[in-house]
Amino acid sequence: MLRVHVRARTSYYQGYLDDHELAAQNRRHVADYERMILSPARTVRCAELGDELVGFVVVGTPYFPDPDPSVDSELYQLHVDPERHRVGVGSNLHSSALDVWRDGTSVARLWVWEFNERARAFYERHGWEADGGCRPDDPRVGRYRMLGYLLNVGTPGREPTRTGSE
């Protein structure tokens, strides 16, 4: 999983973080991944082609108190090895997340880097809507922020709240 994560994030951070900072961040993620994978508050699903892990998705309870009270789950990460983009791996992983959410989630949240146009287009194709908010801890890469997206998973009567610009 870490190999896929490093390859994926290297592809979308290229040109936004210098190589030294990106390498340092990638090294720090080893312990984070162990905690994330073992956490009972998270569900991890992997995609394999043959014997090769080519992607994964992680969902669970929101990491931060959400500005939208209807949010009850978060898509933390959906990563696909860059050599496997545009062949359905990401869509299958997204479907796997939906399967997890159908057991009681009404509105899901994700945060995506403003500059990651490929990811934003992917999520929008899968029904996610930008809500105008930015992640509560406000991480930045240069002038770029993490933008909020919501997905109404399907519990009737619970619509996401639009938070507006922050």
Side-chain angles (χ1 to χ4, degrees):
M1 285 180 63
L2 190 59
R3 181 190 66 78
V4 169
H5 175 73
V6 167
R7 288 176 52 78
R9 71 190 308 270
T10 297
S11 76
Y12 67 76
Y13 275 119
Q14 201 146 36
Y16 296 96
L17 281 181
D18 69 54
D19 292 343
H20 296 292
E21 174 61 21
L22 183 56
Q25 283 188 13
N26 287 339
R27 284 189 298 277
R28 287 191 303 265
H29 281 270
V30 173
D32 292 341
Y33 265 80
E34 184 174 337
R35 281 191 303 275
M36 178 182 58
I37 292 166
L38 297 175
S39 171
R42 310 282 186 271
T43 300
V44 179
R45 297 287 185 259
C46 296
E48 295 176 329
L49 291 175
D51 292 337
E52 180 185 8
L53 187 125
V54 295
F56 64 92
V57 64
V58 182
V59 300
T61 57
Y63 189 77
F64 299 100
D66 201 275
D68 182 336
S70 64
V71 170
D72 47 12
S73 190
E74 184 172 334
L75 189 155
Y76 296 103
Q77 298 182 14
L78 191 159
H79 288 296
V80 175
D81 188 298
E83 291 182 10
R84 304 297 185 170
H85 284 171
R86 314 288 294 162
V87 297
V89 174
S91 292
N92 287 335
L93 287 167
H94 189 269
S95 292
S96 181
L98 290 173
D99 290 343
V100 171
W101 288 328
R102 286 193 180 100
D103 288 338
T105 296
S106 58
V107 178
R109 154 79 67 204
L110 71 82
W111 303 103
V112 63
W113 285 110
E114 183 178 17
F115 61 78
N116 194 342
E117 294 178 16
R118 183 182 64 234
R120 292 174 58 199
F122 171 86
Y123 292 122
E124 289 168 7
R125 281 193 308 274
H126 285 85
W128 292 84
E129 295 182 16
D131 74 343
C134 294
R135 199 168 93 173
D137 64 335
D138 199 23
R140 306 246 178 153
V141 171
R143 65 180 178 87
Y144 299 101
R145 303 171 86 177
M146 293 191 93
L147 305 178
Y149 279 75
L150 298 172
L151 180 67
N152 187 345
V153 178
T155 301
R158 287 188 63 188
E159 291 293 322
T161 304
R162 302 293 174 231
T163 60
S165 295
E166 295 181 2

